[in-house]
Amino acid sequence: MATVVINSNTPKNFGYDPSAPRGTSSTSLAGGFFFYSNNPETVKNVAIADAGCYLNRAPVKGTGQVYTWHSNGSGSTLTNCILVYNPNAFPIKVSSSNYGLTKYSGAQPDSDAWLSFWNTSMYTPLSVTVQPGGYGNIFLQSGIPNGGVFGIVARVSVTDSNGIDANATLWDLAYISNSSNAQSAAAVDGTNRVRGITQGGYWNTTNFNALSPSDQKGKYYTLAAAGDTFNGVDVPWVGDQSGAASGGVLGNYGQQMNITLPIYNDSGSSRTYRIFIGSTGGKLFPCFYYQGVGYRYSPSGQWGDVAGWSSLDILEVTVGAWATQSESFQVVVPAVSSTPLAIGARLL
């Protein structure tokens, strides 16, 4: 078992060498529905429910993941929620035992929302019962300041009274005072950000080939981009029902990447290694989950961003002579981070 070191070291440059060859490394996507909403990212007053618009809308069934991320550019204080419509002839229950909400002034990441998702939200589960043909809401957040950011990361299940998977329609809504006027999709913002729904995609399982680092710079693989180690196969594709913002979730935001990384010690004596994460793009806010606990990089008085082409050690492991040791952990890419995500190991 490794030692967690995410908050007992400082970022380091890992060089500009190419990533390690893929070899027989594998990646796969799974999970239930993935409701993803990130366009328009900046919500103007023409995109809110008071103006007749929703930010995303899609039918869902059973269990899945909700991920939304926006900034408030409306000029007013907003309220945000996931609106639920019940199309069935029986009541449904929409519940969440793992969730995290973001509401900050300025462009802060959603790292704390992920910590809530992993570590604390299960002690205060949320649920709403929606009657046939009726509406309800979940993850209601009011008082979102103009110029601030807001978002949701949540595992959600939709069931009937017997706990059997049921259908619902979900809306991502932002509004000032009138939440009931959303009739059409908000216009897209002209970026490559996406919104929509997919079946599977939030649960990534990646098994890398063993790395044998021989120096403190180390070796690494990449994820969460079209040109990564897997040529983008690890990037989920969501379809927008309006047809305006379908595409790949570049950055894998909202996705839980379950990583297994073996380290092979190709020497005749025991060696200590550090597993690191970083970005070959812009800044990253390191955030990961190991042995039942979530962590984020949190230097004193800071949110914990790491510059592009720098990395942060997250785990320390000692490997015996001519031996291989595998470590499994989960990594996420918090909002306002950049990718490709680098995952690697270096010799201490």
Side-chain angles (χ1 to χ4, degrees), residues 310-324:
S310 289
S311 64
L312 189 75
D313 298 335
I314 58 172
L315 294 170
E316 182 175 304
V317 57
T318 298
V319 184
W322 311 113
T324 300

Side-chain angles (χ1 to χ4, degrees), residues 42-126:
T42 299
V43 178
K44 306 288 188 179
N45 59 3
V46 293
I48 62 178
D50 308 70
C53 294
Y54 51 82
L55 305 175
N56 192 22
R57 182 185 69 182
V60 302
K61 183 177 182 179
T63 298
Q65 187 98 330
V66 168
Y67 188 83
T68 72
W69 182 260
H70 306 284
S71 64
N72 180 4
S74 69
S76 303
T77 299
L78 291 177
T79 296
N80 174 234
C81 72
I82 297 296
L83 181 71
V84 181
Y85 170 67
N86 180 3
N88 305 287
F90 51 83
I92 59 172
K93 181 180 180 181
V94 181
S95 57
S96 178
S97 61
N98 295 82
Y99 61 90
L101 307 180
T102 297
K103 184 180 73 174
Y104 293 117
S105 299
Q108 311 294 357
D110 59 357
S111 307
D112 282 346
W114 278 109
L115 293 193
S116 171
F117 181 93
W118 285 322
N119 296 340
T120 60
S121 57
M122 62 285 298
Y123 301 116
T124 55
L126 300 177

Side-chain angles (χ1 to χ4, degrees), residues 162-176:
N162 297 312
I164 305 300
D165 288 354
N167 294 297
T169 300
L170 304 184
W171 277 261
D172 178 18
L173 290 187
Y175 58 94
I176 298 172

Side-chain angles (χ1 to χ4, degrees), residues 6 9-15 217 219-225 251 257 261 274-288 297 304-314 329 331-334 337-346:
I6 187 170
N9 71 111
T10 57
K12 300 168 185 65
N13 184 275
F14 60 94
K217 186 169 61 174
K219 297 180 179 180
Y220 67 96
Y221 298 104
T222 59
L223 288 168
M257 290 171 275
L261 178 65
R274 290 277 181 90
I275 294 173
F276 63 79
I277 55 178
S279 170
T280 63
K283 66 183 177 182
L284 176 75
F285 291 83
C287 197
F288 86 114
Y297 180 41
D305 61 297
V306 174
W309 287 103
S310 289
S311 64
L312 189 75
D313 298 335
I314 58 172
F329 50 94
V331 176
V332 297
V333 179
S337 295
S338 297
T339 56
L341 176 70
I343 299 177
R346 67 184 188 90

